[in-house]
């Protein structure tokens, strides 16, 4: 194993797991109310909000990374806000990587949750309402149990998508060891240096990880089983 994974590789793996875990947790907190609103609202803004959420799916990562870099830079609106709060600027830092990853992986969490919420029969919520259950009670006692498959999908896809990022993390985080150098960047560095042994070790791990992700989605998600 030592011949395939260097100290830098292990550091990149640890940083990637830390980033993906934090981003997934943030996305579940942010994505739940957003997905619930998209699933239940009749507002004319639903289409526009849904399109904004889905933008990272169709935009090239470098385009998204460029505009996030500009927005978070010293003269950008987000950069001016963070500077006024005494936080400095976010590009080329781990917090900046977290922020960009949250935005980039947003649709991979929101859309499964939205689909799960939309599949819940309205009559169940109406029944809970007639039993005088408060909105929060209905959500935690009725919605969440029924939406478990959607949450499983959202967590797995959000985590996996963050692990596999390249263009956005390179634009926002750069290539700083132990701060922003994640697995995808580390593989790129190995290939650029023609260090194929270490590139193969990390790449094979990513292939195995991707297979496990798909295996989890297809075997543990009850919505994918034949009735």
């Amino acid at each position: 194993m030592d011949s395939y994974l260097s100290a830098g590789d292990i550091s990149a793996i640890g940083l990637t797991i830390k980033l993906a875990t934090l981003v997934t947790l943030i996305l579940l907190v942010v994505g739940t109310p957003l997905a619930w609103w998209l699933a239940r609202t009749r507002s004319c803004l639903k289409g526009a909000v849904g399109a904004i959420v889905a933008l990272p799916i169709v935009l090239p990562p470098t385009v998204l990374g460029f505009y996030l870099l500009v927005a978070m830079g010293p003269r950008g609106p987000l950069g001016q806000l963070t500077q006024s709060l005494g936080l400095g600027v976010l590009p080329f830092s781990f917090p900046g990587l977290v922020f960009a990853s949250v935005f980039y992986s947003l649709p991979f969490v929101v859309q499964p949750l939205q689909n799960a919420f939309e599949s819940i029969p309205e009559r169940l919520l109406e029944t809970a309402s007639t039993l005088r259950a408060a909105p929060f009670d209905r959500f935690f006692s009725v919605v969440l149990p029924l939406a478990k498959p959607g949450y499983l999908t959202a967590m797995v896809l959000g985590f996996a998508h963050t692990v596999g990022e390249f263009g956005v993390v390179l634009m926002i985080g750069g290539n700083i060891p132990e701060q922003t150098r994640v697995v995808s960047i580390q593989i790129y560095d190995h290939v650029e240096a023609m260090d194929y042994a270490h590139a193969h070790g990390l790449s094979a791990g990513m292939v195995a990880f991707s297979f496990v992700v798909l295996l989890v989605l297809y075997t543990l998600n009850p919505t994918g089983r034949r009735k």
Side-chain angles (χ1 to χ4, degrees), residues 133-189:
F136 278 102
D137 292 334
R138 294 198 298 268
F139 185 82
F140 285 103
S141 61
V142 178
V143 175
L144 284 185
L146 294 175
K148 280 183 180 180
Y151 273 94
L152 172 62
T153 302
M155 286 188 291
V156 173
L157 288 181
F159 189 94
H161 190 255
T162 304
V163 168
E165 291 175 9
F166 177 75
V168 169
V169 297
L170 184 62
M171 293 286 288
I172 300 298
N175 190 359
I176 306 174
E178 300 183 357
Q179 294 187 43
T180 63
R181 184 184 290 173
V182 294
V183 168
S184 58
I185 305 298
Q186 185 76 356
I187 294 173
Y188 177 80
D189 282 352

Side-chain angles (χ1 to χ4, degrees), residues 16-186:
T16 302
I17 293 174
K18 177 183 176 182
L19 174 67
T21 301
L22 184 57
V23 167
T24 302
L25 292 175
I26 294 173
L27 282 173
L28 288 175
V29 174
V30 174
T32 294
L34 180 56
W36 179 252
W37 183 83
L38 287 170
R40 313 304 295 185
T41 187
R42 295 181 180 177
S43 172
C44 61
L45 297 176
K46 177 179 179 178
V49 174
I52 292 173
V53 170
L55 267 179
I57 296 177
V58 297
L59 275 180
T62 49
V63 173
L64 181 62
F66 170 72
Y67 282 112
L68 286 175
L69 184 64
V70 171
M72 294 190 294
R75 298 183 180 179
L78 291 176
Q80 292 180 354
L81 175 62
T82 55
Q83 289 180 95
S84 66
L85 296 174
L87 302 176
V89 290
L90 295 180
F92 309 110
S93 68
F94 183 75
L97 211 56
V98 171
F99 180 87
S101 298
V102 166
F103 193 88
Y104 187 49
S105 295
L106 185 64
F108 294 88
V109 172
V110 170
Q111 290 185 353
L113 293 181
Q114 181 182 348
N115 292 336
F117 293 153
E118 289 176 343
S119 67
I120 297 175
E122 184 68 27
R123 58 182 176 78
L124 294 180
L125 298 176
E126 293 175 352
T127 300
S129 180
T130 59
L131 296 175
R132 298 183 180 180
F136 278 102
D137 292 334
R138 294 198 298 268
F139 185 82
F140 285 103
S141 61
V142 178
V143 175
L144 284 185
L146 294 175
K148 280 183 180 180
Y151 273 94
L152 172 62
T153 302
M155 286 188 291
V156 173
L157 288 181
F159 189 94
H161 190 255
T162 304
V163 168
E165 291 175 9
F166 177 75
V168 169
V169 297
L170 184 62
M171 293 286 288
I172 300 298
N175 190 359
I176 306 174
E178 300 183 357
Q179 294 187 43
T180 63
R181 184 184 290 173
V182 294
V183 168
S184 58
I185 305 298
Q186 185 76 356

Side-chain angles (χ1 to χ4, degrees), residues 187-198:
I187 294 173
Y188 177 80
D189 282 352
H190 286 321
V191 174
E192 195 174 40
M194 300 185 70
D195 184 0
Y196 295 132
H198 287 113

